[in-house]
Amino acid sequence: PAQFIAATLQSGGLGPNGRGIRSAQKVRLIHASIRNYIKHKPEWNSQWNPAWGEPVNQEDLASTLLDFFVCIIKGVRKMGIRLTSEEVEAYHHCWRVVGHIMGIRPEFLTETPGEAFELAEIIAARQMRESKEGKELTRDLIHFIQGLLPLPLQGLGGTAIRYFSGEKVASVIKPGPYNWTLSFLYLQIFLLRSLDTFRRDHPRLQKYIRFLTWNIMDKILLHEEGRAFTFELPDELRHAWRLSAHKR
């Protein structure tokens, strides 16, 4: 998902030869392949319950697309980063374009950010259920986050997932209870909220936020798990974040 977002939001990402368009087209082809295999390959078809409906159907596509908008906006707001209505509308429009490229029907492409939040709630109420697979994915995500953190902050992964997901989602995916790292998370959020107000008067605060975010980006971009991991980061962001050329 992070690679998809970076490809889509970079300058020209949704232009005629943009990486965002190519990424969306690639995902659409993957979805088509999955549908074909489930319908025509016995080893796949035997594991599919027709009561589930069409594989990778329009509702599933719309729900996933909404995650890229709704979840990101909710997370940014929970971090204390203030967005103008124009910025939110522009970000929403961007994912509407992606949805069109991926073949989502117009009735599932919300007209406004408010409609997007409403549709996301409706689909979640219909589909969100506790499952073994969901819990396993959550455990794997927490394990990944732990690998990026120093030992004293190992509990931050589960705490952050619970905080940003909200109690309703957390009750389904089971990231575990809050621990002492919630205080650390609140401190970072307080500093982010203070940054806009005190940016010019407190250069040390600005430097700390940069140190924190750049270190997180370094660890994510350089993560390897038994194989080479390549994250294509646009040059404009690489230069802005002061990441060296090999971290791409």
Side-chain angles (χ1 to χ4, degrees), residues 116-136:
F117 279 92
E118 183 179 356
L119 181 57
E121 288 291 331
I122 292 171
I123 295 177
R126 261 180 45 83
Q127 294 198 9
M128 190 166 61
R129 300 289 186 276
E130 188 174 325
S131 68
K132 174 185 175 183
E133 293 78 9
K135 295 175 189 175
E136 289 176 349

Side-chain angles (χ1 to χ4, degrees), residues 74-208:
K74 284 183 176 179
V76 167
R77 286 172 174 170
K78 281 195 168 187
M79 286 191 294
I81 299 173
R82 290 172 290 188
L83 299 173
T84 66
S85 58
E86 290 79 10
E87 288 171 331
V88 174
E89 289 169 3
Y91 189 62
H92 173 255
H93 177 73
C94 173
W95 291 107
R96 274 175 50 86
V97 173
V98 172
H100 172 73
I101 296 168
M102 293 183 63
I104 299 177
R105 294 202 299 262
E107 57 264 35
F108 283 100
L109 296 176
T110 53
E111 294 286 342
T112 66
E115 288 182 7
F117 279 92
E118 183 179 356
L119 181 57
E121 288 291 331
I122 292 171
I123 295 177
R126 261 180 45 83
Q127 294 198 9
M128 190 166 61
R129 300 289 186 276
E130 188 174 325
S131 68
K132 174 185 175 183
E133 293 78 9
K135 295 175 189 175
E136 289 176 349
L137 283 172
T138 302
R139 285 197 297 268
D140 287 344
L141 178 57
I142 291 174
H143 178 72
F144 169 76
I145 295 172
Q146 287 174 336
L148 305 177
L149 297 170
L151 187 60
L153 293 176
Q154 290 290 289
L156 183 59
T159 290
I161 290 174
R162 176 172 285 276
Y163 175 78
F164 287 109
S165 298
E167 289 302 315
K168 184 186 294 186
V169 175
S171 68
V172 173
I173 62 177
K174 309 294 185 186
Y178 284 125
N179 51 59
W180 78 268
T181 59
L182 182 61
S183 299
F184 176 81
L185 181 60
Y186 280 150
L187 174 61
Q188 310 315 306
I189 293 170
F190 170 77
L191 292 174
L192 280 171
R193 288 175 176 168
S194 302
L195 187 59
D196 283 341
T197 305
F198 302 114
R199 184 188 303 269
R200 296 177 182 176
D201 298 330
H202 293 268
R204 289 183 180 179
L205 174 60
Q206 189 176 20
K207 186 175 181 180
Y208 170 75

Side-chain angles (χ1 to χ4, degrees), residues 47-89:
Q47 300 180 52
W48 184 260
N49 184 346
W52 296 338
E54 180 77 8
V56 200
N57 58 44
Q58 286 288 310
E59 185 175 333
D60 292 338
L61 291 173
S63 177
T64 303
L65 183 74
L66 287 167
D67 284 342
F68 281 92
F69 171 71
V70 173
C71 292
I72 295 297
I73 294 298
K74 284 183 176 179
V76 167
R77 286 172 174 170
K78 281 195 168 187
M79 286 191 294
I81 299 173
R82 290 172 290 188
L83 299 173
T84 66
S85 58
E86 290 79 10
E87 288 171 331
V88 174
E89 289 169 3

